Amino acid sequence: MMYRKNQKVHMNVTDTRLQKRVLLSACALFLILAVIFGVTALRNGAYRKNAQEQFTYRMQTTVASAIDEVNRMSGMVTSNTSSRLARIRQYIYYMEQLNQLSMYLAGGESGRLAPDEAFSALNSDLDSFEALTQAATSSTLDVRTQLLNHLTTLQSILQPQ
């Protein structure tokens, strides 16, 4: 009987050492995983911030190009008015796509660079401008001014605060 008693004590000591090693290994593993997740989260945050800055910069340059195109247009319909309107429409489409990508990367509304209403107003202005161009009976100065105002408003929205 005595032999069995010593064997049980010996097994308990071994079990305790094994438990300590497993616990220590688990703690080390959790610490390593925490460091890995922390580094990954920091890189992800830096990537999102950089992407947001790039999208904003590209939208600013695109709206500046669109404003330049509008400034080159005259108050009357000319032979190049249709091509200028097409380029402006492409710029607006590009800005809408950048806005959508930014929202997608940020995971929702926090990534929005410009409100949808701005793009709706710009597209409405272009539609009105195109209708006047096709009719070619009246001055396009008012619609051009409105389009220019909407573009400059969008440009001010995109400026860093």
Side-chain angles (χ1 to χ4, degrees):
M1 267 198 165
M2 189 104 155
Y3 180 70
R4 287 185 171 204
K5 203 174 197 183
N6 285 339
Q7 187 178 10
K8 286 183 181 179
V9 170
H10 182 67
M11 288 180 78
N12 286 340
V13 170
T14 305
D15 289 344
T16 306
R17 286 182 188 162
L18 183 61
Q19 287 174 351
K20 285 182 181 179
R21 286 182 184 156
V22 169
L23 184 62
L24 201 59
S25 297
C27 287
L29 179 66
F30 287 133
L31 181 62
I32 290 169
L33 288 174
V35 168
I36 290 171
F37 286 134
V39 168
T40 303
L42 285 174
R43 283 185 179 174
N44 189 17
Y47 171 78
R48 284 185 179 189
K49 183 180 181 222
N50 187 26
Q52 188 85 0
E53 289 172 357
Q54 286 296 315
F55 289 143
T56 302
Y57 172 75
R58 293 191 189 282
M59 281 189 69
Q60 288 170 342
T61 57
T62 304
V63 77
S65 297
I67 289 171
D68 188 46
E69 286 292 332
V70 172
N71 283 333
R72 290 182 182 175
M73 298 170 84
S74 66
M76 299 302 291
V77 177
T78 61
S79 61
N80 65 357
T81 301
S82 297
S83 63
R84 290 199 188 277
L85 282 175
R87 278 194 294 269
I88 295 167
R89 197 173 291 276
Q90 287 175 343
Y91 289 138
I92 292 169
Y93 177 77
Y94 179 62
M95 287 186 285
E96 286 178 296
Q97 295 304 306
L98 287 173
N99 201 35
Q100 291 296 321
L101 281 171
S102 178
M103 288 173 53
Y104 177 74
L105 280 177
E109 289 295 315
S110 64
R112 182 178 297 280
L113 301 173
D116 285 335
E117 295 81 19
F119 299 117
S120 297
L122 289 169
N123 284 319
S124 175
D125 292 343
L126 287 176
D127 291 341
S128 299
F129 207 120
E130 194 170 335
L132 287 175
T133 301
Q134 289 174 357
T137 56
S138 62
S139 172
T140 59
L141 190 58
D142 292 336
V143 177
R144 179 185 166 275
T145 303
Q146 185 176 357
L147 177 61
L148 189 60
N149 287 340
H150 284 141
L151 284 169
T152 53
T153 301
L154 179 59
Q155 188 177 38
S156 67
I157 289 170
L158 294 171
Q159 293 301 320
Q161 281 88 17

